Each structure stands twice: as C-alpha cells, then as structure tokens.
Amino acid sequence: MTIDQAGAPAAPAFPEHEARVDALRQQLTAIDGAATVRLAKRTSNLFRSRAAAKHPGLDVSGFTHVLHVDPETRTADVEGMVTYEQLVDATLPHGLMPLVVPQLKTITLGGAVTGLGIESSSFRNGMPHESVLELEILTGDGRIVLATPDNEHRDLFHGFPNSYGTLGYALRLKILLEPVKPFVELRHVRFHDRDTYFGALREACDSGEHDFVDGTVFGPDELYLTLGTFRDTAPATSDYTWLDIYYRSIQRRETDHLTTRDYLWRWDTDWFWCSRAFGVQHRLPRLLLGRRFLRSSVYWKAVALDRRFRIAERLLKLRRLPPEETIVQDIEVPLDRAAEFLEFFEREIPISPVWICPLRQRPGGVRWPLYELDPDELYVNFGFWSAVPLDPGERDGVHNRMIEAEVTRLGGHKSLYSDSFYTEDEFWRLYNGDAYRELKRTYDPRERLLGLYEKCVRRR
C-alpha cells in the first residue's frame, strides 16, 4: 500500500494496520461508483435520525487498536474506531491520558476529531483535534493521505474537524498525551446568581490552580462550579459506577475524591443525568442491573429502539399528553455572553440540569476553518439533553430553532452531532462554506461521500 505523502517510510510501522487499510480500500473500490459511501458501524454517538442506507457501508469494525503508546514522547498511535475507554485503559498504566477525554466511554477518537468533543480539561487543552499530530485519512476519492499541520495535506488536516466524515475517514491518528496522578480532588462550590458564577468560572480558568473545571446548573439560584485537581494520594475515594449517582453528589458534598479513571468516566454511568428517563436512578433497579448495564452505551441502544418504534411518542398519545420536542444540544458562547444565554435558556426552555464546560483554544493561533473560535476568547459550553412539551399549534423544532438563533446572536457556535434546523445559507455562513467546498473539490470531487449540510441538517 502507498500513502500519498512526501517522504513516506519505505516499510510500514504497523503492518497489521496497513493490511486493514488495504482491505478497506478494496471495499471502497467494490462499491458502486454511483453509490453514496457510508460507514457500517454498530454504534454511534450521533443524536439525529438519518435516512436508511441503500448500499452496503464500509466495514471499519477492525480499526479498534491502540497501536503504540510512547511514554517518552507522550504520544500514542491509535486507529480511528478506538473508543476513549480503550484508549484510557491503554494510557493510564503509563501515567498518561489524552489531553481531552470526552465524557462517554464509547465515543471514538476518530469521531471526536471529525465531530468535535469537549470536557473539563478543555479550558486549557481545547478540543480533541488540537492534540492531533498526524491523521491518516481515507478520502472520498479513494486515496490514503497522511495529513499533518505542515505537509502538502495541511488543508485537510485543519479542515477535518467538524467535517463529520464528509471529506474522509480517519484510519489512524497520532496524538499527544499528558501526565496524570492517581487521584482527582473535587471541590463543588455553590453560587446563587449567574453573574457571580461566571465571574468565578473565569477566575478559576485563569488561576492556573486547577486541572479540571466544569459546572452544573440546577436552577437560577443553584449553580455549582466543580474544580478538579490531580493528587498523589486521597483520604478515601467515592464510587459512582453503581449505586451512587455522581451528579447528585454535587448538591450534597463540598469535597470529594475519585480515582483518575473514575473521574474521567464520572458522567458515563448515568449519561450525565439522562438515566432518570429510563427509571434507573432508584436503588432497586440499580441493584438489579449492576455495573455492566449502567453505562451510556446501553442507554443509547434504548434511545435507538425508541426512535425506531416511536415508543415515547405512542405513550404520550395514550396518556393524552401533548407531543414533545427533543432538545439534545451542545452550544458555546463567549464567556461575556454566558449569563445572557443562561437567562434566555431558563426563561424559554424548561430543561434542568444544564452542564457547563469552559473552552479555550490551545495557544498557537492555529486556524480550524470549519469551526473557528477566537483564540483569545474563553467560551462556555452549555449541554442540555431532554425534551419539552409543544404547545397547541407549535411545530417540532421550534425550541431548537430558537436556541440556534440566540446562539448566533451572541456570537456562539453549535455542535452538529444532533438535529439542526438552519437554512442552507445560514449554515454555510456559520460553518465556512467557501473553505468546505474547496476541500470537497480537492478530496471528494465526485461527491461519493455525503455533503456536510445534507448529513447534518437534511439527515441523509
């Protein structure tokens, strides 16, 4: 197999990986040239419905290997379908972790880079794509290219984040790692008003005293800032992987200690707080289910079944309750506008709790054209995942559209992993249509892969 890059090594560093790449390219060649190419995946962390595929997808199920962890250079070579759970299990024994570990165990590294990700280290480490050193990508035109920040494919390297597989698929990634300690000490600090809260969040991010910063808003006068710091020792550790619920501890404890691994997955056991929709936040079902079934991947399968058979919708009709609009979104606005957005949200969208996560691009002034952030700005991500009732005559999407308009007004951005309702002109204005179209012409000129608007808004 040859890789389209200057100065490629004569022998592959990972022969078994190279064999999988060759087999995948043969699959692509065998697919009808007029067919739209998709991945055949058993799992997904996207929260938008899609039209059924008419042709077999590319089988990437074999790309699940952590190829190498180098403790000296603090780097890892990882295949695109490796989950963060696998990756963390491979790096922690070396005292290392990825710079950003998204909250759910089954998010894949390739998915987090092409579809963005965020967590409580993002105020100092940005998003997952900012720690990537090189990307091996199967492009829409069938090439295997090695893209780095400064080689001939640097346009694809920088344009890959937020492209959602519409320019190509990441087969291997080389990423930076950072050192960790065995434990994380948490402080949950309560605030009673928005302005004071976001002022304290800025101070926490600028102080240099904390390794992790995030927050949870339960109501207008109950806002918590959670400050995490690595520690070598801990007096005792809490366990939120079975009977106890992490987000409830925020309201009940001022301090806490977790192992580093349990901290990274503190949200996964209850899918933040979404497990309450499945009735498993009571003691008895948790006892019966055990740790094996209390995890995000199980809840996601339940959601997929609900979408397929419209169970929740049918139950609402049977109970003569109004239809509901699903609102599953992550947005970010500049910190100076965060209190304004939260006031709007609490007034218009009856969802609680809300997750808060500060985000700042890593230093260096790198430009990521499909999801541009001001490198000098501290942003606040708001995550909210629930459903709200529709009033008589309201159309599905009215609340999501309201959120989109407010985020745009405040100079923010919205992640595209869930439903979007933008017009095509709006979409390309917000997500740099000129840059995207140029990348599409270069790496998928026959448009064998879906376009970004078709995939994210039209749900094809």
Side-chain angles (χ1 to χ4, degrees), residues 270-285:
D270 286 282
W271 214 7
F272 283 84
W273 32 78
C274 297
S275 64
R276 63 187 177 185
F278 305 99
V280 297
Q281 290 194 6
H282 301 290
R283 200 77 169 178
L284 180 58

Side-chain angles (χ1 to χ4, degrees), residues 27-86:
Q27 283 187 55
L28 180 62
T29 302
I31 294 176
D32 182 351
T36 298
V37 177
R38 301 174 186 259
L39 293 186
K41 297 169 60 178
R42 290 190 294 269
T43 62
S44 172
N45 283 285
L46 295 180
F47 285 83
R48 43 180 154 79
S49 57
R50 295 181 61 186
K54 297 179 181 179
H55 302 276
L58 288 175
D59 181 6
V60 292
S61 60
F63 288 82
T64 57
H65 299 79
V66 178
L67 300 168
H68 182 61
V69 176
D70 188 335
E72 297 299 319
T73 61
R74 295 178 182 171
T75 61
D77 282 275
V78 184
E79 291 185 321
M81 291 298 292
V82 166
T83 67
Y84 271 93
E85 183 176 29
Q86 293 173 277

